[in-house]
Amino acid sequence: RAEARQLQHDWLSEEHRRLGLGFYVEQLWPTLDRVETLYSSSHRQGVAFMAEKLSGEILEHGYWGSARDRLPAAQTDPLESNETNNKGRLPANLCLIRSGQDWTTTSGDERAMYEEQVEPVLRAGMDFLRLEGQSIGCFANRYARVLDEKGNLMDQSFGLSWWNTMQDLADWARDHPTHKAIFGVAMKYLSEFGGAGNLKLTHEVFVVRPDQYTAQYMNCLRGTGLSSIMQAWAENG
């Protein structure tokens, strides 16, 4: 935590403020019972670098609600929001998902299918969450491309979404047309290439209590990340 505080202090420094650019820090420090991950291969991304090793294949996969079954805290806690009854407070069980794609090692027809058929549908879903997500409980969404150390685009991307609750995320995944379209084209991709495919997928979900996350924004537009919902809580309190 001390290193995180120092990084936050440096990033939101007066020197950066004078640049006139927007800087923000969003931090969370969940307990392990509030983290669940899933990877399509042994290729590590994100929080997986913190693990000594990856487990083998798991049973809790391939059906609606499997993410909740993989989250230890969800076995004894409904992980509901306090929004309705406790105006002025941050959400009790804020949910963050980072869902990544790495098509670095794809080629030929597989690469063409991902770039021409899969990615545009994925991007449309991410745009919906960014522009209209608050109507279904998604406070903020970013769809990002990964850069290398020289600033060049890599063949990696990820969506980063903040949700009021894990249930709101699950409802979008199960029922909303934008995710049904993503799921449909993904199944088409898998039926075409199956186990021979080289696309690597990453899925990480964190469900955190109010004392397990914080966010600060400097010179940012209203609505950046969690800023709008945090301001709304303050205004409605």
Side-chain angles (χ1 to χ4, degrees), residues 18 50 52 71 77 100 105 108 164 177 237:
R18 289 196 296 267
M50 300 175 64
E52 293 183 1
L71 190 77
D77 188 331
T105 58
N164 183 39

Side-chain angles (χ1 to χ4, degrees), residues 87-88 134 222 226-237:
K87 294 295 185 182
Q134 291 205 13
R222 180 181 174 87
L226 284 175
S227 64
S228 61
I229 187 63
M230 297 179 80
Q231 291 166 7
W233 279 102
E235 293 164 2
N236 292 334

